[in-house]
């Protein structure tokens, strides 16, 4: 979570986006690196939360 906050903190001023949008992008970027895939079904497994995996993509 610390990595997401750090990346969000750096992205937000560069992009001028709302906090939640910058945080979503940070999650996606980190999960792309961790998973090694651009497949949304694979990325959904790394997103966490209480929703079913099929609901995350």
């Amino acid at each position: 979570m610390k990595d997401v906050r750090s990346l969000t903190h750096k992205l937000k001023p560069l992009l001028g986006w709302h906090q939640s949008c910058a945080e979503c992008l940070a999650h996606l970027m980190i999960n792309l690196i961790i998973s090694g895939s651009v497949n949304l079904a694979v990325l959904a497994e790394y997103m966490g939360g209480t929703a079913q995996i099929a609901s995350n993509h």
Side-chain angles (χ1 to χ4, degrees), residues 19-38:
Q19 178 76 20
S20 61
C21 294
E23 188 174 330
C24 181
L25 178 61
H27 275 285
L28 283 172
M29 291 172 70
I30 290 171
N31 290 335
L32 282 168
I33 294 167
I34 292 171
S35 71
S37 174
V38 295

Side-chain angles (χ1 to χ4, degrees), residues 2-3 7 26-27 54 56:
K2 180 181 176 185
D3 296 330
L7 185 55
H27 275 285
N56 279 342

